[in-house]
């Protein structure tokens, strides 16, 4: 009997781990590593170069669909699925594999964007590419397309061609590309092979399923039961909690399992935050979300903005959060569910968001943490969140700065948000996490303790502080010198130093800033414009020729300008550009080395074979009533000043009081 029991255990241990949708009590944070048209920011080489920094804060990075789509694309018009066709808008297949491998070495899991609701054809309505992988050939045909695709247009075309379509769609129809029939055995076989390849060949950690409204949740369950990803999240875009949890329940049908097979993005959470902020009524945060449901919060991937909701342009305003971006992220990172931070928010507020993540980690918050409302007022919403190690409080709203609660110490504070730690943690705290910062870095030191009269001691050379080290009162802000500095902080209570924390800073003597480059092509009649960037101090990757396809436009002085933004990272940094129609020819001469916002007109005259440029100086600044300024945004919708201050802004065009304004 004993031998039989041991043999049974050996057999069971040899079976593959069963997927359960999303890990229980998961403490990780995810980054959405792209935004719309983020071809430069989301290059595989650019993301890989940030691996060390990202690993300090994130455990997962969700990247765009990585297969070749037959042209410049964010990946949602997927064409190729298997290796050999992975030179995409974000880099080569080799670069993709290197990035995933580097992320894995640093402890980051890469989440694949899986687009299987629909597929682009490359030869007529029903001509899909034939692909061979590991000796097997995969081909989809008209029989793999939903019979009622495109509201009946696909059937009309099929009748013209004399081909037969598959069964009716098991979800919502999408008019744009061919909706795949997931009842088809051929579709199921190819999808399973594709997902196995992503996990086992490329090394992805899991999947983000696009547009799961388009087919029954049963198939997500089926595919996950077959491939066993540790992480799976579906994009079921709906504000109704019960509709999304119903989809989750459908996923557990796959393989006959009882467990839910996939998490879902918590759109209801996102909408409660949007409504609270845009409506200036913080009580709306009490509205239900997946993260508030005890039976489902484990499977809630929470977020406050993504590539589909962000402000893109005046012609595509979308549905963004219009203010209080930091407060939105503060609420996100102090709640149950697995938070997914938007790349634009991370780029704009690394210091603040990394500090929020540090508090979340210190307390041990996880996707199933209990979160209880403490104060629910129009100008203030506060809640308590229980982690594995301790408890914290978050306050958001107009009156967040005045909130306090006995037994908790404030450790973070910003515009309309504050974080508090339970005094039982008995630790020192520094509100700036390890990282690289610009000059004039200031750090707030705090003693989180139940002991009366505790002070803070610190050193700047990496040594452990002693009672004779630098001593300050709790709540004191200190200056960090330029260079490589190791800050070590402890609490001093009754002559004893305890609760030590350490931060490592690289502080430069330069403040990075963003410039805009604007191009008018009226004289040459270009309807498209690529920006090929190169040069600088090496901190910003250039583009591969013919460069970035720029679609952002703005009208100034009755002229339409293509524009893009670039960060100047050091005293020696600059950017040079060449403009073209996107095919590489025709093109312009090189610009000079740029360190400030510049406007160019492409002239209808040439230097050799290249069009000349005119550096335009006729763009007039607008006089601003500084007493009436609200929050200031870049043209991409990034908040650059939450209090309406224009002093110190770099040259460029901003949105102030809802209008485009040139700061000169």
């Amino acid at each position: 009997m004993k031998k039989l029991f041991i043999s049974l255990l050996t057999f069971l241990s040899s079976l593959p781990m069963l997927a359960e949708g999303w890990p229980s009590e998961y403490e990780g944070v995810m980054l959405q590593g792209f935004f719309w048209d983020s071809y430069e920011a989301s290059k595989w080489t650019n993301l890989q170069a940030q691996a060390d920094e990202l690993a300090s804060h994130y455990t997962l990075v969700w990247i765009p669909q990585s297969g070749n789509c037959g042209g410049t694309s964010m990946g949602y018009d997927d064409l190729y699925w298997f290796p050999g066709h992975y030179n995409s808008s974000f880099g080569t297949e080799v670069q993709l594999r290197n990035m995933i491998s580097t992320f894995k070495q640093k402890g980051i899991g890469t989440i694949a964007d899986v687009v299987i609701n629909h597929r682009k054809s490359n030869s007529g309505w029903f001509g899909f590419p034939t692909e061979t992988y590991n000796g097997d050939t995969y081909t989809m045909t008209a029989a793999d397309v939903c019979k009622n695709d495109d509201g009946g247009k696909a059937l009309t075309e099929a009748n013209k061609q004399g081909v037969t379509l598959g069964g009716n769609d098991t979800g919502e129809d999408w008019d744009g590309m061919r909706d795949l029939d997931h009842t088809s055995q051929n579709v199921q076989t190819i999808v399973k092979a594709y997902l196995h390849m992503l996990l086992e060949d490329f090394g992805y950690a899991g999947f983000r399923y696009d547009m799961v409204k388009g087919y029954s949740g049963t198939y997500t369950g089926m595919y996950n039961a077959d491939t066993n990803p540790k992480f799976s999240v579906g994009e079921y875009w709906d504000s109704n909690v019960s509709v999304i949890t119903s989809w989750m329940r459908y996923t557990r049908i796959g393989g006959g399992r009882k467990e839910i097979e996939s998490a879902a993005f918590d759109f209801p959470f996102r909408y409660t935050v949007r409504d609270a902020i845009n409506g200036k009524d913080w009580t709306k945060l009490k509205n239900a979300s997946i993260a508030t449901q005890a039976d489902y919060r484990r499977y809630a991937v929470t977020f406050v903005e993504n590539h589909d909701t962000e402000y893109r342009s005046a012609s595509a305003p979308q549905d963004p959060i219009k203010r209080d971006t930091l407060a939105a992220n503060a609420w996100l990172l102090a709640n149950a569910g697995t938070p997914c931070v938007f790349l634009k928010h991370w780029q704009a507020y690394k210091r603040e968001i990394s500090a929020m993540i540090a508090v979340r980690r210190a307390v041990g918050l996880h996707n199933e943490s209990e979160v209880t409302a403490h104060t629910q007022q129009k100008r203030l919403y506060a809640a308590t969140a229980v982690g594995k190690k301790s408890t914290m409080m978050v306050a958001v709203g107009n009156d967040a700065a005045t909130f306090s609660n006995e037994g908790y110490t404030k450790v973070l504070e910003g515009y309309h948000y504050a974080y508090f730690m339970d005094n039982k943690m008995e630790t020192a705290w520094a509100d700036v996490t390890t990282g690289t910062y610009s000059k004039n870095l200031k750090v707030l030191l705090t003693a989180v303790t139940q002991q009366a009269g505790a002070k803070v001691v610190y050193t700047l050379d990496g040594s452990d502080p002693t009672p004779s080290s630098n001593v300050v009162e709790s709540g004191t802000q200190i200056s960090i010198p330029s260079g490589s500095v190791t800050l070590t902080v402890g609490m001093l209570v009754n002559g004893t130093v305890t609760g030590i924390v350490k931060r490592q800073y690289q502080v430069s003597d330069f403040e990075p800033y963003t410039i805009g480059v604007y191009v008018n092509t009226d004289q040459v009649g270009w309807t498209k414009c690529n920006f090929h960037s190169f040069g600088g101090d090496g901190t910003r990757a250039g583009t591969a020729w013919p460069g970035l396809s720029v679609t952002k436009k703005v009208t100034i002085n009755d002229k339409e300008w293509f524009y893009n933004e670039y960060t100047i990272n050091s005293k020696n940094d600059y950017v040079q550009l060449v403009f073209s129609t996107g095919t590489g020819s025709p093109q312009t001469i090189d610009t000079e080395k740029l360190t400030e916002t510049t406007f160019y007109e492409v002239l209808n005259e040439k230097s050799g074979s290249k069009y000349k440029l005119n550096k335009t100086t006729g763009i007039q600044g607008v006089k601003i009533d500084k007493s009436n300024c609200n929050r200031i945004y870049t043209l991409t919708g990034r908040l650059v000043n939450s209090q309406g201050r224009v002093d110190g802004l770099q040259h460029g065009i901003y949105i102030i009081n809802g209008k485009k304004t040139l700061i000169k």
Side-chain angles (χ1 to χ4, degrees):
M1 180 63 72
K2 184 176 181 181
K3 288 183 178 179
L4 178 62
F5 178 69
I6 293 174
S7 297
L8 179 60
L9 286 179
T10 302
F11 170 73
L12 291 174
S13 66
S14 68
L15 293 175
M17 293 293 292
L18 298 182
E20 293 183 351
W22 202 269
S24 178
E25 296 190 349
Y26 183 62
E27 296 183 52
V29 178
M30 181 161 72
L31 174 71
Q32 179 178 356
F34 64 99
F35 47 87
W36 200 252
D37 290 344
S38 63
Y39 302 115
E40 178 76 16
S42 300
K43 277 180 175 287
W44 308 142
T45 50
N46 286 354
L47 292 175
Q48 181 180 350
Q50 301 169 53
D52 285 327
E53 177 185 54
L54 295 177
S56 297
H57 313 291
Y58 298 100
T59 54
L60 299 170
V61 175
W62 160 32
I63 66 170
Q65 195 281 123
S66 52
N68 189 301
C69 297
T72 301
S73 170
M74 287 303 297
Y76 295 110
D77 54 342
D78 59 320
L79 180 61
Y80 294 102
W81 285 8
F82 292 96
H85 297 96
Y86 272 77
N87 292 344
S88 72
S89 301
F90 304 97
T92 67
E93 179 174 324
V94 170
Q95 291 169 340
L96 172 66
R97 290 180 181 274
N98 287 341
M99 180 196 69
I100 295 172
S101 176
T102 299
F103 278 0
K104 185 178 292 186
Q105 292 170 15
K106 304 293 183 180
I108 301 171
T110 307
I111 300 298
D113 206 323
V114 173
V115 183
I116 56 174
N117 169 70
H118 52 266
R119 192 174 184 184
K120 182 166 71 175
S121 55
N122 63 343
S123 177
W125 271 72
F126 310 112
F128 300 101
T130 296
E131 298 182 85
T132 300
Y133 176 64
N134 282 349
D136 293 316
T137 299
Y138 300 104
T139 304
M140 290 184 180
T141 68
D144 298 315
V145 175
C146 294
K147 184 185 297 184
N148 55 343
D149 180 38
D150 278 20
K153 286 183 283 188
L155 182 58
T156 299
E157 184 65 26
N159 289 336
K160 287 180 182 178
Q161 296 186 23
V163 297
T164 302
L165 302 183
N168 284 329
D169 206 328
T170 58
E172 290 188 1
D173 180 31
W174 186 63
D175 190 347
M177 272 162 263
R178 303 293 74 76
D179 280 18
L180 300 180
D181 175 18
H182 287 271
T183 68
S184 161
Q185 185 60 56
N186 188 47
V187 169
Q188 293 174 14
T189 297
I190 297 176
V191 169
K192 289 175 183 177
Y194 170 49
L195 298 180
H196 274 289
M197 180 274 298
L198 291 174
L199 292 176
E200 299 156 17
D201 189 339
F202 277 91
Y204 280 100
F207 310 133
R208 177 266 186 186
Y209 287 100
D210 178 64
M211 199 176 171
V212 296
K213 266 190 174 184
Y215 53 98
S216 172
T218 301
Y219 299 104
T220 300
M222 173 191 294
Y223 300 140
N224 282 351
D226 185 78
T227 56
N228 292 308
K230 184 177 180 181
F231 303 97
S232 169
V233 54
E235 182 216 25
Y236 199 101
W237 193 340
D238 203 290
S239 61
N240 190 311
V241 171
S242 63
V243 171
I244 299 177
T245 55
S246 175
W247 175 82
M248 289 181 182
R249 291 194 296 274
Y250 268 99
T251 70
R252 67 186 180 188
I253 297 173
R257 301 184 186 175
K258 295 181 180 180
E259 288 285 350
I260 287 172
E261 294 283 351
S262 182
F265 279 105
D266 197 341
F267 279 89
F269 181 96
R270 191 265 168 185
Y271 287 126
T272 65
V273 175
R274 179 207 62 182
D275 292 346
I277 291 174
N278 291 356
K280 300 181 180 180
D281 182 358
W282 296 92
T283 62
K284 293 182 179 181
L285 291 179
K286 68 183 178 182
N287 292 345
S289 66
I290 311 301
T292 63
Q293 311 300 302
D295 293 338
Y296 295 99
R297 59 189 174 209
R298 166 182 170 179
Y299 306 106
V301 177
T302 52
F303 70 103
V304 295
E305 203 78 286
N306 70 15
H307 61 292
D308 284 320
T309 62
E310 65 162 322
Y311 178 89
R312 295 181 188 171
S313 68
S315 60
Q318 307 307 103
D319 180 30
I321 292 173
K322 297 177 181 177
R323 56 182 67 83
D324 285 321
T325 303
L326 277 172
N329 280 280
W331 181 247
L332 171 73
L333 289 161
N335 261 277
T338 298
C340 182
V341 175
F342 187 42
L343 180 59
K344 280 189 177 179
H345 292 175
W346 172 244
Q347 291 174 328
Y349 302 113
K350 284 184 182 180
R351 171 173 170 169
E352 294 87 350
I353 290 176
S354 64
M356 296 172 192
I357 294 173
V359 174
R360 180 182 180 91
R361 283 186 171 180
V363 174
L365 292 194
H366 53 86
N367 56 350
E368 296 179 88
S369 283
E370 293 279 353
V371 179
T372 306
H374 176 277
T375 302
Q376 301 179 61
Q377 299 172 358
K378 191 170 184 178
R379 293 176 56 86
L380 173 66
Y381 198 96
T384 303
V386 180
K388 293 180 181 179
K389 302 171 187 175
S390 188
T391 303
M392 66 169 289
M393 294 194 75
V394 56
V396 291
N398 305 61
D399 296 336
T402 63
F403 178 80
S404 64
N405 194 40
E406 186 177 355
Y408 289 82
T409 297
K410 184 186 295 185
V411 292
L412 288 182
E413 182 179 352
Y415 189 75
H416 286 177
Y417 76 90
Y419 272 19
F420 305 79
M421 284 183 176
D422 190 328
N423 288 341
K424 295 176 184 177
M425 287 193 70
E426 297 293 339
T427 186
W429 195 255
D431 73 333
V432 180
T433 61
T434 293
T436 300
Y437 299 93
S438 55
K439 63 180 181 179
N440 301 323
L441 176 64
K442 296 185 183 300
V443 180
L444 182 70
L445 307 183
T446 310
V448 182
T449 177
Q450 300 179 91
Q451 307 299 315
K455 296 184 183 299
V456 178
V457 289
Y458 70 93
T459 65
L460 298 173
D461 60 5
S463 62
D464 285 349
T466 67
S468 60
S469 299
N470 299 304
V471 181
V472 295
E473 296 291 334
S474 178
T476 298
Q477 194 175 62
I478 64 170
S479 295
I480 305 297
S482 296
S484 181
V485 178
T486 300
L487 170 66
T488 311
V489 187
M491 294 191 306
L492 179 61
V493 182
N494 297 325
T496 302
V497 178
T498 59
I500 292 176
V501 297
K502 187 168 289 191
R503 306 279 193 258
Q504 293 180 316
Y505 304 128
Q506 191 66 43
V507 184
S508 73
D509 58 358
F510 179 84
E511 185 81 38
Y513 62 93
T514 299
I515 67 171
V517 178
Y518 298 78
V519 179
N520 175 267
T521 61
D522 289 350
Q523 289 193 37
V524 288
W526 294 358
T527 58
K528 297 180 180 179
C529 191
N530 273 38
F531 287 33
H532 173 54
S533 61
F534 56 96
D537 64 358
T539 56
R540 176 187 56 258
T543 56
W545 181 254
L548 175 69
S549 174
V550 173
T551 58
K552 294 175 289 189
K553 296 180 182 180
V554 61
T555 300
I556 307 169
N557 287 7
D558 298 322
K559 288 186 177 181
E560 192 172 66
W561 304 78
F562 293 94
Y563 76 93
N564 198 36
E565 294 181 338
Y566 300 90
T567 300
I568 303 302
N569 293 301
S570 73
K571 293 178 180 178
N572 300 318
D573 198 17
Y574 61 89
V575 64
Q576 278 188 275
L577 298 110
V578 172
F579 311 110
S580 74
T581 58
T583 59
S585 180
Q587 68 179 72
T588 69
I589 61 172
D590 297 0
T591 69
E592 67 266 53
K593 297 177 180 179
L594 303 179
T595 57
E596 62 180 22
T597 291
T598 309
F599 293 79
Y600 287 106
E601 290 179 297
V602 181
L603 300 179
N604 194 17
E605 56 181 283
K606 293 185 176 180
S607 174
S609 62
K610 300 177 182 179
Y611 284 102
K612 292 182 179 180
L613 293 170
N614 178 45
K615 187 175 179 181
T616 304
T617 57
I619 307 299
Q620 298 300 316
V622 179
K623 186 176 181 180
I624 303 166
D625 179 2
K626 297 181 181 180
S627 66
N628 191 36
C629 282
N630 294 317
R631 293 170 185 80
I632 301 173
Y633 299 84
T634 65
L635 290 175
T636 59
R638 179 171 64 86
L639 179 67
V640 294
N641 194 289
S642 62
Q643 298 173 346
R645 294 193 302 270
V646 298
D647 296 330
L649 286 178
Q650 298 297 324
H651 296 180
I653 296 177
Y654 299 87
I655 304 296
I656 303 177
N657 299 330
K659 297 180 180 179
K660 297 184 183 74
T661 304
L662 177 65
I663 304 295
K664 296 189 69 178

